[in-house]
């Protein structure tokens, strides 16, 4: 396969530009989105509020930086790890 055919297009609706991501990038993005959703469910937050909380208190940066290890754990463990990072950074959910 060529490098171009291995990348999957993601569409940015406002700009109508194509953004190409590798399969690895798409897998990582999908995992992070799923973690945000699961975090929201665990703490009874809508996804948008969960995203804002995780961004503010470092949970998103953590899951992005530690993806290689975190995606090998259960989602419950990943959510617990994000919650612990957020708590260390001033978050008050736990």
């Amino acid at each position: 396969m060529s490098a171009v055919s291995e990348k999957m297009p993601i569409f940015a609706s406002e700009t109508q530009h194509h953004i190409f991501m590798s399969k690895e990038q798409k897998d990582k993005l999908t995992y992070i989105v799923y973690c945000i959703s699961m975090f929201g469910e665990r703490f009874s937050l809508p996804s948008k509020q969960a995203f804002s909380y995780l961004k503010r208190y470092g949970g998103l940066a953590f899951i992005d930086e530690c993806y290689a290890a975190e995606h090998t754990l259960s989602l419950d463990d990943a959510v617990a790890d994000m919650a612990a990072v957020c708590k260390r950074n001033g978050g008050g959910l736990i």
Side-chain angles (χ1 to χ4, degrees), residues 9 23 31 48 66 71:
K23 181 179 181 327
Y31 176 78
K48 186 174 181 178
C66 299
H71 88 279

Side-chain angles (χ1 to χ4, degrees), residues 41-87:
E41 284 183 29
R42 165 89 50 90
F43 294 102
S44 301
L45 300 171
S47 292
K48 186 174 181 178
Q49 192 174 354
F51 172 83
S52 295
Y53 178 87
L54 289 166
K55 184 175 180 186
R56 179 175 182 181
Y57 295 108
L60 277 181
F62 166 77
I63 205 70
D64 181 36
E65 293 167 12
C66 299
Y67 169 78
E70 289 291 320
H71 88 279
T72 65
L73 305 173
S74 72
L75 284 169
D76 286 337
D77 288 342
V79 169
D81 291 346
M82 289 189 302
V85 167
C86 290
K87 182 178 182 180

Side-chain angles (χ1 to χ4, degrees), residues 7-73:
K7 295 186 178 190
M8 300 180 176
I10 303 295
F11 300 97
S13 61
E14 291 181 22
T15 61
Q16 297 299 314
H17 292 265
H18 297 272
I19 301 170
F20 289 93
M21 299 176 78
S22 69
K23 181 179 181 327
E24 292 80 18
Q25 289 170 320
K26 185 175 183 270
D27 290 346
K28 184 176 181 180
L29 179 61
T30 299
Y31 176 78
I32 291 172
V33 168
Y34 198 62
C35 285
I36 294 166
S37 176
M38 295 299 292
F39 186 91
E41 284 183 29
R42 165 89 50 90
F43 294 102
S44 301
L45 300 171
S47 292
K48 186 174 181 178
Q49 192 174 354
F51 172 83
S52 295
Y53 178 87
L54 289 166
K55 184 175 180 186
R56 179 175 182 181
Y57 295 108
L60 277 181
F62 166 77
I63 205 70
D64 181 36
E65 293 167 12
C66 299
Y67 169 78
E70 289 291 320
H71 88 279
T72 65
L73 305 173

